[in-house]
Amino acid sequence: MPLPPRSGKPLELRVQRQILWVGSAAVPLRNVSWVEVFRLKPAWGKAGGYFLLLVVVAFLVSARLDSTDGGGGVGGPAPAVLALFALVVVFAVLLWSRKPVLVVELNSGSRVVLTLPTMDELRAIAGQIVYAIDHPEYEFSAVLEQYNTTNNFGSVVNMNGGRGNTGIKL
């Protein structure tokens, strides 16, 4: 059995004797019902939260500048600059949240989600997994550099769904 993935280290993905190993997680290939590569939708909620937070900060800074100005002057370009900064942050969050993912769904409804920097790498891995399903003698191994650091199961894979799956409790 392979060692579990550690933060900042490569993760091994392999098919050996009709078992898909993702780090230390084992998935029988006969239970795979769906394999797809796509880009995740942008995180609109996260971007909207950042925008609202930055608009509130811009309002507070503008009010503070007006109060120190003695009330007689115009607040200056600070609110406009902060509003522009808020829009830049929102667009950055939206662009960076579109990560390419490989989803391997199982008959039970649970999923294995892998992320890598490029769609081509994920498509190649998806093709190898599908080929291994149709050809029981086929085996392959790939080392994935860790890219996503927001998942619960290491930094490359996230498993969720299924019956009785409570995830990892720390």
Side-chain angles (χ1 to χ4, degrees), residues 36-52:
E36 186 176 1
V37 176
F38 59 91
R39 286 196 181 274
L40 285 177
K41 292 182 180 179
W44 286 100
K46 190 175 182 180
Y50 281 134
F51 181 73
L52 288 176

Side-chain angles (χ1 to χ4, degrees), residues 13 20 22 34-40 99-105 111-116 118-119 121-127 129-130 140 144 156-158:
L13 174 89
L20 172 64
V22 182
W34 182 61
V35 178
E36 186 176 1
V37 176
F38 59 91
R39 286 196 181 274
L40 285 177
K99 292 184 175 125
V101 295
L102 164 66
V103 178
V104 179
E105 189 165 330
R111 295 179 298 274
V112 177
V113 180
L114 300 167
T115 61
L116 283 175
T118 67
M119 295 284 285
E121 291 175 284
L122 291 173
R123 284 188 189 109
I125 291 171
I129 291 171
V130 171
F140 77 92
L144 309 178
V156 174
V157 64
N158 184 16

Side-chain angles (χ1 to χ4, degrees), residues 19 22 54 58 66 70 77 95 100 105 110 115 129 132 142 146 163 170:
I19 302 288
V22 182
L54 290 171
D66 283 344
L95 288 176
E105 189 165 330
S110 59
T115 61
I129 291 171
Q146 296 188 356
R163 285 188 210 133
L170 300 174

Side-chain angles (χ1 to χ4, degrees), residues 51-140:
F51 181 73
L52 288 176
L53 178 68
L54 290 171
V55 165
V56 168
V57 168
F59 176 75
L60 293 174
V61 167
S62 174
R64 179 76 175 155
L65 287 175
D66 283 344
S67 69
T68 59
D69 213 10
V74 178
V81 169
L82 286 174
L84 181 63
F85 177 72
L87 287 175
V88 168
V89 168
V90 167
F91 286 122
V93 167
L94 290 176
L95 288 176
W96 287 331
S97 65
R98 290 185 46 89
K99 292 184 175 125
V101 295
L102 164 66
V103 178
V104 179
E105 189 165 330
L106 308 178
N107 294 334
S108 64
S110 59
R111 295 179 298 274
V112 177
V113 180
L114 300 167
T115 61
L116 283 175
T118 67
M119 295 284 285
D120 293 335
E121 291 175 284
L122 291 173
R123 284 188 189 109
I125 291 171
Q128 288 181 314
I129 291 171
V130 171
Y131 187 81
I133 291 170
D134 287 339
H135 299 87
E137 72 284 351
Y138 182 70
E139 295 182 355
F140 77 92

